[in-house]
Amino acid sequence: MPEGSPSILFVNRVFPPDRGATGRCLADLTERLARRGWRVSVVADGAGGEEEARRSCVALWRTGRAIPAGDRPDARGYLDSLLRLTWRALRLPRHDVVVTMTDPPLLGRVGPLLAARHGAAAIHWSQDVFPALLPVLGAPLPPSLFQALERSMARALGRHDAVLAIGRCMARRLVQSGVAESRVILCPNWPDSRIRPIPHAVNGWRAEQGLEGRFVVAYSGTLGLAHPMDGVLDAAAGLLASDPAILFLVIGEGRGRGAVAEAIQRRGLTNVRLAPWQPAERLAESLSAADLHLTVMNKAAVGLMAPSKLLGGLAAGRPGLFLGPADSEAAHHIRDWGCGAVLEPQNGQGLAERIRGYAADPARCAREGAVALRSVAGWGADDAASRIDAVARDLVARRSFANGARTRWPTLGAARRALRRRVVSDA
């Protein structure tokens, strides 16, 4: 990029080839921002990916600490990652914009510090809302410590020039926490562009798994503490004898995988099969191998997270059943588009009845699958890059004028509208 191009720095624990939805989103976005004229840098843990980043015109700076495959770090691991990432970002040359994400959980807390060091505008890209989500993830904190962290994070977010929320309910939650409504920008996530519907007849992954002749109900993604699986296993138990052609396929890893495996064995659920995490190049096949997709979310997590696994199943052209809070972003998406159903997380009997109905009605599966595909076609990585590009350029221009300098990047009308966009207007 020319030396005079604006520069932007992203900080996140993971970046491809490391696993993690936030890393995948970051890779999609940074490549597109580089095409739009930004000089893009990324600070991440892990190793590898430098050559691919260079091809995308992204400067990738690793902290040198490898990321083990599979489970996420414990509290100490997250804290160590936070310190490494902060120290590495502080030592980089100056950038015009600094963007912190939410992996590790309290990374937004250091966003203003990094921005001050760089003399930059600060953006926080909220994939999850911390520390409010920590108790949901099984990390209960003493009330005094939790309240102190809440106040500290609220102050930090209030000092950011913009906070990106991936859903309307999250945006409202951020405003309620004290972030100025004018600084909260709605920027939803998007499905991996490599995911597409693949017919069963030509799906090599489905054939490898021996799924012919089965109606497959899939859960694909993290098996974490925010994803209670009891209702899914209860539904499998209810269908075991009456509907032997229905198979539950659970694909993924996480802290909850061991408990799910133990429950499958203890309950004798021969109609539930566990499969390992699948590489990105096989996602289209593995997701399309199913006839119906499940997404599960703890009711206490409404407004604090938005399960990205829902988007993958819809992008594969399959209906989605969401077991989670009725007022969440995922529930609104399914109801608004009519591409599945919303149930209580623990409603195993209701889930079994729904699955039985879909298995008996292939035409409905095809019809709702086509709607599911359309429901995610209107927002992709290019759209997200366009929105963030507009917001970031506006912040650079404003800061440049505030410092008495003559900006090289004129404030576009679209950028001003993006920064002023209110949550209500997006809803």
Side-chain angles (χ1 to χ4, degrees):
M1 294 296 165
E3 189 63 31
S5 299
S7 56
I8 188 167
L9 169 64
F10 290 87
V11 186
N12 193 53
R13 186 177 66 91
V14 295
F15 190 83
D18 309 315
R19 303 178 188 178
T22 59
R24 191 270 303 170
C25 286
L26 185 53
D28 282 352
L29 184 72
T30 52
E31 178 180 353
R32 286 162 173 80
L33 288 179
R35 293 176 192 165
R36 291 170 177 268
W38 287 89
R39 289 182 291 124
V40 182
S41 298
V42 174
V43 171
D45 275 343
E50 286 82 0
E51 182 58 38
E52 183 177 353
R54 279 195 294 271
R55 286 198 299 270
S56 301
C57 297
V58 174
L60 177 59
W61 306 87
R62 297 285 194 178
T63 66
R65 180 63 60 91
I67 298 176
D71 210 354
R72 295 183 179 183
D74 56 15
R76 177 58 185 270
Y78 275 133
L79 179 59
D80 288 346
S81 177
L82 175 63
L83 295 175
R84 287 193 301 272
L85 294 169
T86 302
W87 178 240
R88 192 70 183 89
L90 286 171
R91 291 155 53 208
L92 291 183
R94 182 190 175 279
H95 288 75
D96 297 301
V97 181
V98 173
V99 183
T100 51
M101 297 181 72
T102 47
D103 185 5
L106 300 180
L107 187 56
R109 182 64 187 84
V110 302
L113 169 66
L114 298 178
R117 155 65 181 84
H118 286 265
I123 298 176
H124 182 61
W125 189 1
S126 182
Q127 295 285 327
D128 304 289
V129 178
F130 290 107
L133 189 59
L134 290 176
V136 182
L137 298 177
L141 301 172
S144 58
L145 176 58
F146 181 76
Q147 292 168 9
L149 287 175
E150 284 267 67
R151 290 192 297 269
S152 176
M153 182 60 78
R155 286 194 299 269
L157 292 183
R159 293 168 58 196
H160 284 78
D161 298 285
V163 179
L164 305 177
I166 62 175
R168 290 166 292 185
C169 53
M170 180 180 290
R172 288 190 291 270
R173 184 73 178 246
L174 289 167
V175 171
Q176 291 167 5
S177 73
V179 182
E181 190 176 355
S182 61
R183 299 189 180 192
V184 177
I185 310 296
L186 188 63
C187 187
N189 282 344
W190 57 93
D192 192 314
S193 60
R194 291 166 290 196
I195 300 173
R196 68 191 190 285
I198 298 178
H200 288 346
V202 294
N203 190 325
W205 194 89
R206 181 179 167 93
E208 291 169 15
Q209 302 299 314
L211 302 178
E212 293 88 346
R214 307 295 296 269
F215 183 87
V216 178
V217 184
Y219 175 97
S220 180
T222 301
L223 288 161
L225 298 176
H227 313 106
M229 295 294 288
D230 292 345
V232 175
L233 299 180
D234 288 344
L239 295 170
L240 180 59
S242 62
D243 299 84
I246 297 176
L247 175 70
F248 289 75
L249 182 62
V250 180
I251 308 171
E253 299 169 349
R255 295 181 182 178
R257 182 184 171 95
V260 170
E262 187 276 331
I264 292 171
Q265 184 175 16
R266 172 171 45 82
R267 300 176 68 170
L269 299 178
T270 55
N271 59 342
V272 182
R273 184 185 303 176
L274 284 173
W277 173 88
Q278 297 299 306
E281 59 269 18
R282 303 217 70 178
L283 264 182
E285 291 178 288
S286 65
L287 293 176
S288 295
D291 299 280
L292 187 64
H293 273 273
L294 301 176
T295 303
V296 182
M297 192 174 91
N298 191 313
K299 293 178 69 174
V302 63
L304 303 179
M305 61 182 294
S308 59
K309 60 180 66 65
L310 171 66
L311 302 176
L314 299 179
R318 303 296 185 261
L321 296 183
F322 176 65
L323 284 74
D327 55 344
S328 67
E329 194 74 22
H332 283 299
H333 186 106
I334 287 179
R335 283 197 304 265
D336 292 348
W337 281 91
C339 55
V342 179
L343 300 93
E344 289 289 319
Q346 306 301 331
N347 188 1
Q349 180 178 352
L351 177 59
E353 292 172 359
R354 291 280 187 171
I355 292 172
R356 189 180 287 117
Y358 277 98
D361 193 350
R364 179 186 180 187
C365 279
R367 183 173 63 252
E368 292 189 10
V371 174
L373 187 59
R374 290 198 301 272
S375 78
V376 295
W379 182 267
D382 288 329
D383 302 291
S386 178
R387 181 161 297 183
I388 294 176
D389 172 60
V391 172
R393 285 182 183 274
D394 185 71
L395 293 177
V396 169
R398 288 169 182 259
R399 181 168 291 270
S400 197
F401 278 122
N403 291 337
R406 185 175 179 181
T407 180
R408 300 184 183 184
W409 313 290
T411 303
L412 305 176
R416 291 188 182 279
R417 289 192 295 274
L419 192 60
R420 290 197 301 265
R421 182 173 287 107
R422 298 294 193 269
V423 176
V424 175
S425 64
D426 279 299

